[in-house]
Amino acid sequence: MKKRDHFQRLNVDHLLRNHKLPEPVFVARPTMPKLADYCEKLTGIWERRWLTNDGQLHRELEHRLAEYLGVDHLALFCNGAIALMVALQTLRIDGGEVITTPFTFPATAHVLHWNRIRPVFCDIEANTFNLDANRIEQLISPETKAILPVHVYGTPCNVEAIRKVADSHGLRVIYDAAHAFGVRYKGQSVLTHGDLSMLSFHATKLFTTGEGGALVCQSEAQKKRIDFLKNFGIADEETVIGPGINGKMSEFQAALGLLQLDMVDEEIANRRNLAKSYQNGLKDIAGISFLKDVPDVQHNYAYFPILVDEKNYGINRDELFALLKLFNVHPRKYFYPLCSHFSCYSSLPSADPARLPLAERVARQVLCLPIYGTLENGIVETICNILMKIHEEHYLE
Ligand code: T4K
């Protein structure tokens, strides 16, 4: 096959005429419950005039979420980033170094910085895009306090290997599980691994409270400490046990969460079907690859990332990204640029691109395609078709 020249590569007018979607299709969209059901919950809030601070709906959601997720202790938060900040304070980690991945949302690295901790970036695995457990040991120093891996796109990290290296060096493990709602590994919630796990319930997540999040912990004592820390450290009207923060979830968020919980099984099932359609539609396009389902894992299909290999596909990820927008398809480059490229971290020795070759490559090639429960299967088929046509267009037989 011979590649077309640059001018021809951008000439897609005829494709646009036939394949442009009538409305913009975004990478994520929240599935909304019936407005009337939310109004009913609001009526209760109005009557009780209890808006936040461990309200009735907050307590109900904490209880039902812990049950649904299959975990013993869960504390709700105003968002995932603050939950992660509090996770570090819960374990009294507020200095030194923490080993983490550069292939993540900025929040993961920033919460370390806000706790005066130096992030130490570790390269990722090719088959999951998660922090590579085999590379942790060489990054451990006398300053290392913990490991902060991310279950990227909801795919579980190598939890056994991470536990092993953490145990042998006396390190804590906090999982950024922002993407891992409902994910199970070997029949158990993935959130049962590590000392603590953080969930995000942002509007772009498959379970959402608008803004929101949670910490999953392993003991009643830890849950108590977290509850103090997220409420200014207040134990009672006259006792403050430590320097806490305001991380509380309001009743309005909890109300949405309770309704979302009734819909979340259907949301995941719909996403599973859409992921299957993407897998079928993309499998024969040269230069496009995607993550395979992992044995022993019950996935949540929170994201559908693809990698674009320019040599075989015909154009690179950035060109494809720009072209798809013309078709009204709005994917996202999660996670480009790497956290190690941000000016606040790029001078760290561990941020050297030469030390992070896989993360560098994946960040250059990755594109997250639209996936959400209310997305029509026909639109996924059209997106696959557009990807195929663009590929064919950029080669001459
Ligand atoms: N750790 C990890 C690994 C994370 O991925 C995140 C958050 C966190 C920590 C921190 O958790 P939180 O503190 O956020 O709870 C979005 C989200 O804002 C962010 O929560 C999420 N990760 C990240 C992966 O995605 P943006 O900047 O891409 O969002 P935005 O506003 O551009 O939205 C993306 C698309 O979603 C829009 O094009 C349309 C759609 N959308 C968005 C919103 C806000 C809606 O349809 N409705 C909406 O209300 O970061």
Side-chain angles (χ1 to χ4, degrees), residues 73-243:
H73 307 282
L74 177 146
L76 292 172
F77 273 84
C78 55
N79 63 52
I82 294 288
L84 206 48
M85 293 271 299
V86 169
L88 290 155
Q89 289 292 322
T90 303
L91 302 178
R92 297 180 173 82
I93 303 169
D94 56 2
E97 295 180 347
V98 167
I99 296 170
T100 191
T101 170
F103 189 70
T104 181
F105 196 62
T108 317
H110 290 346
V111 298
L112 296 175
H113 187 86
W114 276 58
N115 280 290
R116 296 183 298 275
I117 297 163
R118 204 165 31 258
V120 175
F121 296 113
C122 179
D123 206 5
I124 61 174
E125 299 173 331
N127 58 336
T128 63
F129 307 161
N130 287 331
L131 181 150
D132 185 345
N134 295 318
R135 293 173 187 272
I136 295 174
E137 202 141 37
Q138 66 210 52
L139 298 171
I140 294 175
S141 80
E143 290 289 297
T144 310
K145 303 282 187 282
I147 306 166
L148 173 51
V150 182
H151 300 299
V152 180
Y153 309 132
T155 306
C157 294
N158 187 345
V159 288
E160 287 104 354
I162 290 172
R163 181 80 270 163
K164 206 166 155 205
V165 68
D167 283 350
S168 62
H169 293 270
L171 301 176
R172 302 293 210 145
V173 180
I174 300 173
Y175 281 105
D176 179 334
H179 305 170
F181 189 97
V183 171
R184 296 179 78 79
Y185 173 60
K186 293 188 177 166
Q188 247 195 327
S189 168
V190 75
L191 306 169
T192 56
H193 294 275
D195 295 279
L196 296 167
S197 293
M198 174 278 271
L199 287 165
S200 165
F201 305 151
H202 183 261
T204 51
K205 300 293 188 284
L206 68 91
F207 170 88
T208 179
T209 56
E211 291 280 355
L215 277 185
V216 170
C217 60
Q218 313 300 351
S219 73
E220 189 57 45
Q222 252 183 357
K223 157 88 167 123
K224 235 176 165 169
R225 179 163 164 77
I226 291 167
D227 285 344
F228 288 141
L229 286 175
K230 77 175 194 192
N231 186 27
F232 311 101
I234 294 173
D236 63 42
E237 282 175 28
E238 297 186 2
T239 321
V240 171
I241 58 142

Side-chain angles (χ1 to χ4, degrees), residues 9 308-310 313-321 364:
R9 290 164 76 187
V308 184
D309 170 13
E310 178 177 10
Y313 184 65
I315 54 174
N316 66 34
R317 187 275 311 272
D318 289 336
E319 290 170 312
L320 178 60
F321 178 70
R364 262 196 320 271

Side-chain angles (χ1 to χ4, degrees), residues 235-255:
D236 63 42
E237 282 175 28
E238 297 186 2
T239 321
V240 171
I241 58 142
I245 190 93
N246 185 354
K248 290 166 285 155
M249 176 181 277
S250 78
E251 289 291 270
F252 301 97
Q253 292 167 284

